[in-house]
Amino acid sequence: MTESNHRTADHPIDTMFLKRWSPRAFTQEEISEDDLLLLLEAARWAPSASNNQPWRFVYARRGTEHFARLLDILNESNQRWAKHAAALVIVISKTHTQAASGEMRAAYTHAFDTGAAWFSLALQTTVSGWHAHAMAGIDRDKAMITLGVPEHHRVEAAVAIGRLADPSTLPDDLREREKPSQRKPLAELAFEGRFKAE
């Protein structure tokens, strides 16, 4: 077993997996472009099928003209706390690849591969002393238009990155949830030989 960050793993994994969590309480500290690009560099090295690297990131740092535009893509519930982040990142995946013949073919693992890139970003963020919180609560249609995302791409999620703040800075309804979450037992997730229905 491994214990860290008020979490206990069933097997002796590295503590970095337990230290990574998704807080909502962020200071309003800014992040330099170099520091943010370092985090995205880790995502660049994620594995992908046929090395297609389908992930794309549109980012905005606090204090720049782009921050409000990306913040507006989030739903109102997420805007309440993400407005304090140092950076916002919209995660996009390329859904098709172009064959040598010019034919556009579905890239079936685009979301799987882009998820690997997001997790590489998340781990590097933790290692670098920041925190990252991914969000599904966004307006994907607005993101496509606002960010100029072309055909054969899909907006997957948004990520807020920042320095950890005291939970008292959050709205009342979010304050109690501001702690590392637990996980289902591995036996409910991994099955030898055959899928087991819930």
Side-chain angles (χ1 to χ4, degrees):
M1 293 193 328
T2 301
E3 293 185 13
S4 182
N5 206 20
H6 307 289
R7 294 164 140 178
T8 303
D10 294 339
H11 299 274
I13 60 173
D14 193 287
T15 58
M16 71 176 170
F17 295 102
L18 302 178
K19 289 177 181 174
R20 188 225 58 82
W21 68 292
S22 303
R24 293 177 179 85
F26 291 129
T27 66
Q28 296 184 42
E29 181 177 339
E30 294 183 4
I31 187 170
S32 71
E33 186 163 32
D34 283 347
D35 285 348
L36 181 56
L37 292 178
L38 180 150
L39 305 178
L40 294 170
E41 177 71 15
R44 183 169 80 101
W45 290 96
S48 63
S50 301
N51 199 26
N52 281 332
Q53 304 167 48
W55 48 80
R56 303 292 184 269
F57 305 104
V58 176
Y59 65 87
R61 294 178 300 117
R62 167 175 290 290
T64 68
E65 61 185 297
H66 310 293
F67 192 82
R69 187 167 67 250
L70 267 64
L71 184 64
D72 190 52
I73 290 169
L74 310 183
N75 67 23
E76 288 184 20
S77 178
N78 286 329
Q79 286 182 27
R80 293 184 304 156
W81 58 268
K83 65 185 178 185
H84 299 300
L88 296 173
V89 180
I90 306 299
V91 181
I92 300 160
S93 64
K94 190 173 181 184
T95 61
H96 290 71
T97 58
Q98 190 167 12
S101 65
E103 176 190 3
M104 294 302 290
R105 295 183 180 160
Y108 292 106
T109 63
H110 68 92
F112 181 80
D113 296 342
T114 300
W118 139 249
F119 193 60
S120 296
L121 167 65
L123 283 184
Q124 184 62 53
T125 301
T126 301
V127 168
S128 299
W130 297 87
H131 283 81
H133 186 122
M135 298 163 271
I138 59 176
D139 186 330
R140 286 168 179 77
D141 292 335
K142 181 186 283 187
M144 293 289 287
I145 295 166
T146 301
L147 306 178
V149 179
E151 185 182 14
H152 302 305
H153 289 74
R154 185 172 80 186
V155 174
E156 301 288 353
V159 179
I161 296 169
R163 296 275 194 210
L164 194 61
D166 190 279
S168 65
T169 61
L170 289 170
D172 292 343
D173 61 317
L174 296 178
R175 202 170 296 141
E176 284 187 29
R177 296 168 55 192
E178 190 65 358
K179 57 188 173 187
S181 57
Q182 301 304 321
R183 294 294 183 268
K184 295 177 181 179
L186 187 58
E188 292 183 21
L189 307 172
F191 319 114
E192 185 174 13
R194 186 175 177 85
F195 187 86
K196 293 181 182 174
E198 295 180 10

